[in-house]
């Protein structure tokens, strides 16, 4: 199968570890990709030391958008918020370990756009572009 | 419809040889199966050669040049205008305006005719099948001028509810703007009948021919189209050029759209006089080489025969439709068996259209995933996006079989 | 300037080999001498090969496709956007909008920015040098909205009377729209200085770069251009594509121009949300292959170096100017020696420009005759038309000599 | 020299037989070609039998536009008006004996446009297109 759909991505899509909701959270944000109807919602818990202690996502969309949300949250839980703020597009692509054309990039980056929207405290309706993340 | 019956209509193997891209492999060992002609068609060698020949041997700006190259270029450009007129049955080459694409043709109409003729509360009647190109320009005019948009409803089969037409026409729309073929459901509305009723109600008729002109013989006078829009790139021609057709007296009465060189007769510092049609609507240097390339595409299509292309696509549609409908968990957006082109938009339980497209790409199969610039239609069917496979004269039943096989494979991957 | 000094700047024989049309004979035994690049430039092999390669191997529609070809096409299109941004010193590729030509770029500005920002009695300051492309769109807006047009006067030498600028700027124009180089007199106004004064007076600045960008290095930020318009076909690229540059915040504040696919984020039956810039301004399928071809033209120009091209043309202008001035009864429209490109418009006693062009064509020499889309400028100089010879990077001093010789011959024929 | 500029055309340009004005005329018309500033004025005398008895033109323009006016008038003087009305674009091109590209065609046809404008009694400001002639 295509490396894009190699087990790693499909596993996270079919059996996500971070799908769901938290009782309580410091940051929350959601955004979508209107051209394909992908939608993503994220919640983050942060402790008094500025550490991300837990996170969840929910949404609908293609395997790539959902798996990349799961993989991203797996990576940032336990990290300082400041480090999360620095997390870049390239970091995410490294994490996914795949090369993407311009259209699929949008799918993969939705998770990062939502994460950044959350940690930078964007209001509903405000939106980041791919260049901003 | 059997695969062998199809080969009697067109000699597809022979014409495929004219399309070098169809010999391409997307990865080593994986040949391309191009099922995305509704988005843009592939180009035969002949078109690319016409472009290259123009650029390398006759290239010049047109209309005002006296030197040999300029005269050759002008003649080639204007001859293509005459060929386009003939191709769609226009009464005169003067009714043919070259624009960028079907989208610009409709914008030209909305800006030049619309702003001169439509006022607050005037009705423009569209259909729920329309592509954004035949929707957003009218929404812009609605926001600016307060015109009202009404819609002929789509049926659950992806066709038009013609029974709703009389009541909508009773609102006395100034314009009825309808797609000649939906790029999603593949449905080909009975444009001649719509035009007949529209004219009776006093409306003018725009046909969005972006999907119709590449796939069926078109005669604007027989159809009763007052305006027609289409794109070269969807009918074997180059990108960057499209056609706006308008009946001569309508075209002459329209004020200009863009201003600049060539669209004027006289200019002083204080004002200008517009040129005769069609030049009045072609400001600045047009897509000269691309127009010439479109001429080569028309020659190619004409040599094969639009009747034959239409028949072949009808046959391939009849071949594909039942096979797609057999795939468990696959839902077609557009199930009509009659009056349909060979375009199939569908969604599948538990697999996002992006994932379908991605997996099909793995097998070299190029389809599209998204809302295909018909977001309202998708919303009406309750799906944000679909996968869409479309067939043109160079596609074979074998390619359809491979599509179906790959869809079963996708179901396995996501099971 | 001697002919031999010129060969030190560019290796013209080598680069001429890239332009097959320059080997053409217009009649048996009569080689083409192409002196009409101001109308449109010739194209190097590399550009035609890029077009052919795109069409024959990567052709697909862009932006919404997931399959291999669509991703390749999208990448090629968007990479060219980034290259254009770099070529003109834009801060971001998002500031680059692909249009049909320079004319459409200016119309886009007049429609989208002009209609949102200009009201009755607002002043737009132009110059008397302007091409119809930078005049008629504003005249249309003047007729529709009652804006007022003012003009920086041209001098008898075909340059701009800069001493008139302060008084004109005192009328507080909202926009100063000036050509970077006249396609008639060849004069290259000091755009940076005009922009500085215009900004001080609170105006925005549009540079019509149709003739500037092909012939000199351009940095929009250094120039102080808020908006820039230019055409691919005048700079070795394909027809059918041009560029509209606008500073990002200006572009974002502008309402859309044409409506349709790709320029939207969301559409319902009742309305739409526009897409992010620059897509908001690119409705429908763009000139995809032609944009890719423009990319190849930029590579070609960059490899030679715009500085070198500019220097070469300066040198050839210095070579041609005195030789033309020696022809008895020949009058130049534009006699400046400084800040001029290698374009020469002239009239001759007792020979109509058409006849000059016709006789030159007999010698294979392609020049243009007419008002060159600058009718008001010609009226100001009291001539309805001129003959115009223009030189580009592939022209040689030898070709200039043949032009001069043919002009003497024309005098004989009409003596 | 180019066949376009062969002696025949140049002779009529340099030494026109019908340039000038008439004392009296039945038809008069003028038109121009704004792109190059060509201008042409024509006067026609017609007798009671409907014969064109004399004609003159005046104007400025390229050799082709002026010579073709002279050649055209030379041809029609002495012919019935009805025949002049039928005179076509192709007839003129035959008379000139040259082949013309699209731009030079405009120059050559100006004379015919003005002649037709005269015999059909067009008012000043009304104009025929090349298709009409
Ligand atoms: C100064 C100037 N501006 C604008 C234009 C218009 O260019 P285009 O016809 O490519 O739109 C030209 C082309 O002749 C020009 O010379
Ligand atoms: C029905 C229909 N109308 C209009 C268009 C717009 O065509 P273009 O993008 O070439 O302007 C399309 C193209 O997808 C279409 O399918």
């Amino acid at each position: 199968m295509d490396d894009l759909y190699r087990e790693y991505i499909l596993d996270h899509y079919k059996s996500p570890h971070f799908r769901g909701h938290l009782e309580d959270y410091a940051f929350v944000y959601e955004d979508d990709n209107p051209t394909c109807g992908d939608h993503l919602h994220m919640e983050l818990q942060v402790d008094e030391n500025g550490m991300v202690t837990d996170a969840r996502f929910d949404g609908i969309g293609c395997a790539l958008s959902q798996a990349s949300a799961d993989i991203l949250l797996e990576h940032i839980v336990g990290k300082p918020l400041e480090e999360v703020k620095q997390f870049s597009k390239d970091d995410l692509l490294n994490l996914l370990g795949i090369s993407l054309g311009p259209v699929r990039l949008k799918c993969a980056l939705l998770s990062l756009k939502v994460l950044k929207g959350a940690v930078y405290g964007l209001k509903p309706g405000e939106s980041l572009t791919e260049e901003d993340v | 419809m059997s695969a062998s019956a199809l080969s009697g209509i067109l000699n597809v193997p022979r014409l495929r040889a004219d399309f070098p891209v169809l010999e391409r492999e997307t990865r080593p060992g994986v040949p391309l199966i191009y099922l995305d002609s509704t988005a843009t068609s592939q180009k035969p060698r002949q078109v690319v050669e016409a472009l290259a020949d123009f650029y390398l041997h006759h290239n010049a700006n047109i209309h005002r040049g006296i030197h040999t190259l300029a005269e050759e270029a002008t003649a080639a450009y204007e001859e293509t205008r005459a060929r386009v007129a003939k191709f769609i049955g226009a009464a005169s080459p003067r009714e043919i305006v070259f624009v960028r694409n079907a989208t610009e043709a409709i914008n030209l109409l909305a800006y030049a005719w619309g702003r001169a003729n439509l006022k607050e509360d005037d009705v423009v009647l569209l259909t729920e099948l329309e592509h954004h190109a035949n929707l957003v320009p009218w929404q812009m005019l609605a926001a600016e001028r307060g015109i009202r948009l009404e819609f002929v409803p789509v049926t659950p089969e992806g066709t038009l509810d013609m029974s709703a037409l009389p009541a909508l026409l009773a609102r006395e729309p100034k314009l009825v703007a309808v797609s000649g073929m939906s790029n999603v459901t593949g449905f080909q509305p009975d444009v001649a009948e719509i035009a007949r009723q529209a004219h009776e109600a006093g409306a003018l008729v725009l046909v969005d021919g972006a999907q119709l002109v590449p796939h069926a013989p078109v005669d604007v006078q027989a159809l009763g189209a007052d305006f027609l829009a289409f794109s070269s790139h969807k009918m074997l021609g180059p990108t960057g050029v499209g056609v706006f057709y308008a009946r001569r007296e309508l075209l002459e009465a329209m004020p200009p759209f863009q201003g600049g060189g060539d669209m004027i007769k006289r200019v002083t510092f204080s004002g200008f006089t517009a040129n005769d049609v069609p030049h009045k609507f072609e400001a600045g240097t047009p897509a000269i080489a691309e127009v010439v390339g479109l001429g080569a595409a028309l020659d190619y299509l004409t040599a094969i025969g639009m009747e034959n292309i239409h028949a072949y696509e009808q046959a391939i549609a009849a071949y594909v439709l039942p096979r797609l409908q057999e795939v468990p968990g696959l839902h077609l957006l557009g199930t009509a068996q009659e009056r349909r082109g060979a375009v199939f938009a569908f969604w599948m339980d538990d697999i996002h259209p992006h994932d379908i497209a991605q997996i099909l790409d793995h097998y070299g199969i190029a389809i599209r995933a998204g809302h295909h610039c018909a977001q309202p239609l998708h919303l009406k069917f309750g799906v944000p996006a679909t996968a869409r496979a479309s067939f043109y004269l160079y596609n074979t039943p074998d390619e359809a079989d491979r599509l179906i096989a790959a869809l079963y494979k996708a179901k396995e991957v996501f099971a």
Side-chain angles (χ1 to χ4, degrees), chain A, chain B:
Chain A
M1 193 64 247
D2 201 343
D3 68 346
L4 183 59
Y5 282 80
R6 61 204 175 97
E7 296 308 317
Y8 179 48
I9 303 273
L10 277 181
D11 279 356
H12 277 276
Y13 176 61
K14 292 183 184 171
S15 322
H17 306 293
F18 290 86
R19 186 180 281 277
H21 292 268
L22 297 171
E23 299 261 295
D24 193 30
Y25 43 77
F27 298 101
V28 63
Y29 185 67
E30 58 184 39
D31 201 354
D32 57 14
N33 185 344
T35 51
C36 49
D38 290 1
H39 181 91
L40 212 59
H41 169 101
M42 273 187 192
E43 299 163 1
L44 265 70
Q45 241 170 37
V46 180
D47 72 9
E48 63 276 15
N49 302 321
M51 293 298 250
V52 178
T53 47
D54 206 353
R56 289 289 182 282
F57 79 95
D58 199 9
I60 49 163
C62 62
L64 186 53
S65 75
Q66 305 297 305
S68 95
D70 199 55
I71 292 166
L72 180 61
L73 293 190
E74 180 172 80
H75 178 78
I76 64 155
V77 167
K79 298 248 157 55
L81 192 61
E82 284 314 306
E83 201 182 312
V84 172
K85 285 188 178 176
Q86 303 307 318
F87 196 81
S88 76
K89 188 161 127 174
D90 288 339
D91 294 335
L92 177 62
L93 296 180
N94 280 339
L95 217 53
L96 297 175
I98 50 178
S99 73
L100 291 170
V103 175
R104 295 320 308 275
L105 201 58
K106 274 199 207 317
C107 305
L109 289 183
L110 179 60
S111 62
L112 192 59
K113 275 171 69 176
V114 173
L115 179 67
K116 289 288 176 90
V119 298
Y120 282 105
L122 260 65
K123 305 216 167 38
E126 291 178 356
S127 195
L128 295 168
T129 69
E130 276 155 49
E131 268 185 355
D132 299 324
V133 299
Chain B
M1 171 63 62
S2 77
S4 61
L6 275 157
S7 61
I9 310 175
L10 289 187
N11 188 341
V12 177
R14 202 183 56 197
L15 68 85
R16 278 178 77 91
D18 292 328
F19 293 81
V21 74
L22 299 180
E23 276 149 40
R24 185 178 153 175
E25 301 185 334
T26 58
R27 281 179 297 126
V30 180
L32 171 67
I33 296 179
Y34 187 75
L35 301 180
D36 195 20
S37 295
T38 295
T40 198
S41 74
Q42 293 301 340
K43 323 299 174 201
R45 265 189 304 100
Q46 288 85 337
V47 166
V48 178
E49 280 163 14
L51 280 172
D53 179 58
F54 179 83
Y55 278 128
L56 298 179
H57 304 299
H58 310 282
N59 176 65
N61 213 325
I62 56 170
H63 289 150
R64 291 158 317 239
I66 285 170
H67 58 80
T68 306
L69 264 53
E71 296 216 320
E72 291 171 357
T74 306
Y77 183 84
E78 292 300 331
E79 273 161 21
T80 305
R81 197 193 299 281
R83 264 187 284 171
V84 171
K86 194 155 164 249
F87 192 78
I88 60 165
S92 155
R94 289 190 173 251
E95 300 181 322
I96 304 301
V97 177
F98 289 118
V99 292
R100 176 178 26 252
N101 50 26
T103 301
E104 188 181 41
I106 299 172
N107 278 276
L108 192 169
L109 183 68
Y111 270 103
W113 178 86
R115 277 158 181 77
N117 291 281
L118 298 178
K119 49 180 199 319
E120 196 172 341
D121 289 331
D122 277 350
V123 172
V124 168
L125 179 57
L126 306 167
T127 86
E128 287 184 348
L129 284 176
E130 299 312 307
H131 186 278
H132 295 163
N134 197 23
L135 175 55
V136 179
W138 306 114
Q139 291 181 335
M140 289 170 66
L141 202 52
E144 188 186 314
R145 289 290 172 94
I147 64 164
R148 285 186 302 123
L149 307 183
E150 304 280 350
F151 297 88
V152 182
V154 72
T155 67
E157 293 74 41
T159 71
L160 285 183
D161 180 2
M162 288 289 278
S163 71
L165 193 57
L168 288 162
L169 288 174
R171 295 181 206 179
E172 299 186 355
K174 293 278 188 297
L175 180 76
V176 176
V178 54
S179 174
M181 167 169 146
S182 163
N183 69 321
V184 178
T185 73
F187 181 62
Q188 300 172 336
D190 188 346
V191 174
E193 174 59 20
I194 294 172
R196 198 189 57 72
Q197 294 188 34
H199 286 150
E200 228 164 60
L204 291 172
V205 174
L206 159 68
V207 177
D208 171 358
Q211 297 300 340
L212 182 64
V213 178
H215 299 289
V218 168
D219 182 311
V220 280
Q221 303 189 65
L223 275 185
D226 300 295
F227 307 108
L228 177 72
F230 60 100
S231 292
S232 155
H233 72 92
K234 294 193 198 281
M235 49 196 291
L236 312 187
T239 47
V241 60
V243 172
F244 174 62
Y245 157 85
R247 269 201 294 120
R248 175 125 176 215
E249 53 283 25
L250 294 168
L251 201 58
E252 281 179 346
M254 280 165 59
F257 171 38
Q258 299 193 14
D262 267 347
M263 57 68 72
I264 55 85
K265 202 172 250 168
R266 255 171 259 261
V267 185
T268 66
F269 285 125
S270 57
F272 71 96
T273 319
N275 204 342
D276 298 326
V277 300
H279 308 292
K280 178 167 143 185
F281 297 101
E282 295 182 359
T285 305
I288 306 171
E290 292 66 39
V291 165
V292 172
L294 170 59
L298 294 185
D299 287 350
Y300 191 90
L301 291 169
T302 305
I304 294 176
M306 290 307 298
E307 290 290 356
N308 296 326
I309 292 170
H310 186 237
Y312 183 76
E313 290 183 28
Q314 296 291 102
I316 216 162
Y319 181 85
V320 175
L321 185 65
R323 287 166 174 79
L324 272 177
Q325 282 173 320
E326 269 170 22
V327 179
L330 184 149
H331 312 274
L332 277 168
L333 203 171
T335 50
Q337 304 198 4
E338 306 284 308
R339 302 192 73 89
R340 80 167 296 147
V343 43
F344 302 93
F346 57 87
W347 71 96
M348 289 172 86
D349 296 337
D350 303 325
I351 320 183
H352 189 282
H354 275 184
D355 294 319
I356 302 175
Q358 186 81 46
I359 290 179
L360 263 52
D361 183 58
H362 177 77
Y363 294 104
I365 303 172
I367 66 157
R368 200 144 281 247
H371 53 54
H372 320 300
C373 296
Q375 210 171 8
L377 177 66
H378 277 78
L379 292 179
K380 173 129 185 180
F381 277 79
V383 287
T386 52
R388 183 186 70 190
S390 54
F391 295 78
Y392 205 7
L393 69 171
Y394 37 65
N395 292 119
T396 64
D398 177 56
E399 291 179 318
D401 293 343
R402 286 163 190 258
L403 166 69
I404 304 286
L407 289 174
Y408 282 99
K409 190 75 196 161
K411 287 177 63 70
E412 270 174 43
V413 172
F414 277 86

